[in-house]
Amino acid sequence: MTIPAPHDRRLRLGDGRQLGYTEYGVPDGHPVCYCHGFPSSRQEAGLLHQAARIEGIRLIAPDRPGYGLSSDRPGRQIHDWPADLAELTERLGIDRFDLIGVSGGGPYALACLAALPARIGRCTLICPLGPIYLAPVRRTMAPGVRASLSLARRLPRLTNRFYTGPIPALLAARPEVVARLRYRNAAAPDRAVLDRPEVTAALDRTIVDAMRDGAHGARRDLHLYPRPWGFEPDRIDRAITLWHGDTDNTVPVAHAHWYARHLPDCRARILHGEGHYSLPVRHGHGILKGLITVHD
């Protein structure tokens, strides 16, 4: 069987907005939707393309509003995302699908579980951001991150100013600036995979996408994460598998422990010696294989 190379696609939603997405893996495979991180885009899922091909998965990765190829949606909330994903999958002729949420895409995946329980089979979270609107969870973040979140909550206009004008344009044109910061803050396992040119190139492409056209999606997410998400994670009574590295310097492993305590049906796999980037790169095949091994 000849497998076509992934390519970008666009869908006009019912309200007139454009939703961009890319499909990875195999076109007739088991459908899995991918919720990308922050600030990122659909291209992040390309790191799992080969693993998806091997496992026979059709990996569908849409851009959230204001990211990549997707139109902005002023005033959107985290719990608005399930409606977009539902419309996308319906238009693709998919009745039921599995779900992956990575890093800042974790809250969005949980929102989908809460809103679309009949349409989602299994869910896997990879180093997911925890509910940082709760002070104990927020305090586990690095000091610089906590300061940024506090600024976003208390002075949203200042944050908007930072993410508009020349700064997003500079980051879109020079993603290596973000790459240097990413590498500097990374733990040893992450640095090992970031030394691989194909990994860094893939992550740089997501930054270019995230910062295009004024970084509307990134600005909005920065305001949304530290505020109540519009649903209660501890009321999501669905089977969830969670993967997290114990040397993650981006999303602390404490977030995984919080989810393990509060999600009613969560199987947490804490991997020793893995970080935020090394875990999906090194274990992507096992993650996808585990996702489709057992179904409801």
Side-chain angles (χ1 to χ4, degrees), residues 233-246:
D234 56 6
R235 295 185 181 179
I236 300 175
D237 191 13
R238 297 300 305 278
I240 295 172
T241 301
L242 188 155
W243 297 69
H244 214 114
D246 66 356

Side-chain angles (χ1 to χ4, degrees), residues 83-128:
D84 285 358
L85 194 62
E87 184 171 353
L88 169 63
T89 51
E90 287 168 2
R91 298 274 290 276
L92 293 176
I94 298 171
D95 294 325
R96 189 170 170 85
F97 55 91
D98 289 343
L99 191 63
I100 291 176
V102 180
S103 190
Y108 286 92
L110 290 173
C112 292
L113 276 183
L116 308 170
R119 299 202 56 207
I120 298 172
R122 296 183 65 82
C123 177
T124 291
L125 302 178
I126 304 174
C127 47

